[in-house]
Amino acid sequence: MQVLTPHVYWAQRHGEIYLRVEISDAQSLSIGVEENILHFKGQGHGAKGENEYEFSLEFLKPVKPEVKHKSTQRQVNITVKKQEHVWWDRLTKQEKKPLFLAPDFDRWLDESDAEMELREKEEKMNKINTESRVRKDPFLGLKKGFLFMYNLVQFLGYSWIFVNMTVRLFILGEDSFYDTFHTIAEVMNFCQMLAVMEIINPVVGLVKTGVMPAFIQVMGRNFILFVIFGILEDMQYKPVVFFVFYLWSMIEIFRYPFYMLACIDTEWKLLTWLRYTIWIPLYPLGVLAEAVAVIQSIPIFDETKLLSIPLPKAIGTSLSFSYILQLYLVIMFLGLFINFRHLFKQRSRRFRTKKRKAN
Ligand SMILES: CCCCCCCCCCCCC[C@@H](O)CC(=O)SCCNC(=O)CCNC(=O)[C@H](O)C(C)(C)COP(=O)(O)OP(=O)(O)OC[C@H]1O[C@@H](n2cnc3c(N)ncnc32)[C@H](O)[C@@H]1OP(=O)(O)O
């Protein structure tokens, strides 16, 4: 039996090559890619009647070795995946087009149309994913709405704190250090009491993150705010209050808008970068400022005996709270290590995911 060449029609997309081989009732098909060359062999009814047909094509650029093919009554459809999602100027390595090869005008798109088709496919996939997410969780809208409002309130609170402290710093200079607590504490107390929600959110599944980092963060801050500053009036006039409050607010004016955008599936690259980068200097500085506050409060707790722990008469009168504070200083730096590592992981995950999406 003569070995003949069939009519072959081709089209491309950014990621695939489509070939349509005009052989009807094809049998004994042998189709494969070796060293970037497609080899085709098969029996059937083609341009020269019932015969064995074969052809080879060396592709212009690297393709994946796996070949998908499907025979119908009238033809054999072959799909080959490109190694790189790029547009090719032609199909074959050789410049001169083989005589048996022609464009498949049923599937032919030029580069811009193919890009548009790709975008439409991606939008359709995103829509399906969003719909399936909503179908999976009918309360998703309510949860996102609640989180959005929570973040908005925190953003407004911390923005007020940051702007208020900045304006007072410019107007009063160092004098603003001494009455920061009495100017800011009400709003700070409100924001930090509300921040307890950030321990509950991961527990009830409102956000996908660890409970421990949030517990350390919120409880660590509230210990400083409500115990060290809140109970000791002598601490409320110290400049360390200014530095602690300012360092806390500097991250929150970026973190909460970042979360607000996340609630509406939106992202601003600069805000993401700020949210996952400025904590690097701010976190150690914040813990350092808090440690200074704890150390400054120790002699006051010794003197006032506030929160001292009464001891049985046999042992002595009472255990000064300053011993607890000395232990707390160690816990603070453990908490700093845990949360620093957690935030570093979050940062790497976020920027690694973005890099993967960009490729
Ligand atoms: C008396 C008891 C004492 C207990 C021990 C105390 C030890 C004390 C140790 C030190 C205390 C803390 C000191 C602290 O005050 C120092 C400072 O704050 S200094 C200023 C700088 N600070 C910071 O930068 C920290 C800011 N805070 C945080 O980043 C978070 O609180 C933290 C828990 C540390 C990390 O947040 P999270 O784990 O949530 O990571 P992500 O932000 O990446 O979020 C993960 C995903 O969840 C989504 N998410 C989270 N929250 C929300 C929200 N409110 N709304 C919507 N979405 C949210 C987020 O979008 C991420 O989603 P995805 O994974 O899809 O990207």
Side-chain angles (χ1 to χ4, degrees), residues 68-125:
K68 275 200 302 189
H69 64 85
K70 189 166 175 295
S71 310
T72 65
Q73 218 162 8
R74 293 183 37 247
Q75 63 207 23
V76 179
N77 292 314
I78 300 169
T79 304
V80 179
K81 283 193 178 300
K82 298 177 180 176
Q83 284 292 9
E84 265 189 274
H85 271 228
V86 288
W87 198 256
W88 291 7
D89 297 336
R90 61 177 192 274
L91 178 66
T92 55
K93 200 155 190 85
Q94 67 183 61
E95 284 207 24
K96 192 172 177 318
K97 187 177 65 60
L99 291 174
F100 63 86
L101 187 66
D104 181 348
F105 289 113
D106 295 345
R107 303 187 77 168
W108 193 266
L109 288 179
D110 63 25
E111 186 172 4
S112 56
D113 291 341
E115 272 163 0
M116 203 185 301
E117 183 192 66
L118 204 58
R119 259 200 308 279
E120 281 161 10
K121 266 189 196 159
E122 279 168 359
E123 277 159 19
K124 207 184 281 177
M125 282 312 289

Side-chain angles (χ1 to χ4, degrees), residues 216-255:
I216 290 174
Q217 178 68 26
V218 173
M219 297 310 281
R221 278 199 185 171
N222 287 359
F223 181 74
I224 299 294
L225 180 62
F226 297 110
V227 176
I228 304 295
F229 296 158
I231 290 181
L232 297 184
E233 207 170 325
D234 293 0
M235 282 300 297
Q236 294 170 6
Y237 299 95
K238 290 190 182 293
V240 70
V241 177
F242 174 90
F243 293 100
V244 168
F245 282 10
Y246 214 37
L247 288 163
W248 287 1
S249 64
M250 278 178 194
I251 184 68
E252 307 303 22
I253 57 176
F254 299 110
R255 182 164 75 99

Side-chain angles (χ1 to χ4, degrees), residues 28 36 105 118 132 156 189 195 266 281 353:
S28 326
N36 223 44
F105 289 113
L118 204 58
S132 66
L156 294 175
N189 290 347
T266 307
T353 320

Side-chain angles (χ1 to χ4, degrees), residues 12 61 90 145 183 208 232 272 352:
Q12 67 171 319
K61 291 180 182 171
R90 61 177 192 274
T183 322
K208 286 193 264 352
L232 297 184
T272 302
R352 187 179 55 243

Side-chain angles (χ1 to χ4, degrees), residues 147 150-151 198 201 207-209 213-217 219-221 223 247-248 251-252 255 258-259 262-263 275-276 279 282-283 286-287 290 328 331-332 335-336 339 342-343 346 349-350:
L147 280 176
Y150 167 78
N151 294 314
E198 293 181 33
N201 288 343
V207 295
K208 286 193 264 352
T209 188
F215 177 82
I216 290 174
Q217 178 68 26
M219 297 310 281
R221 278 199 185 171
F223 181 74
L247 288 163
W248 287 1
I251 184 68
E252 307 303 22
R255 182 164 75 99
F258 167 75
Y259 289 153
C263 291
R275 184 273 170 277
Y276 284 108
W279 61 267
L282 289 182
Y283 215 93
V287 172
E290 290 172 29
Y328 182 75
I331 298 173
M332 277 186 87
L336 166 66
N339 273 6
H342 170 71
L343 280 166
Q346 292 299 100
R349 186 178 62 87
R350 168 64 64 159

Side-chain angles (χ1 to χ4, degrees), residues 143 200-208:
K143 291 176 182 174
I200 300 165
N201 288 343
V203 171
V204 299
L206 269 175
V207 295
K208 286 193 264 352

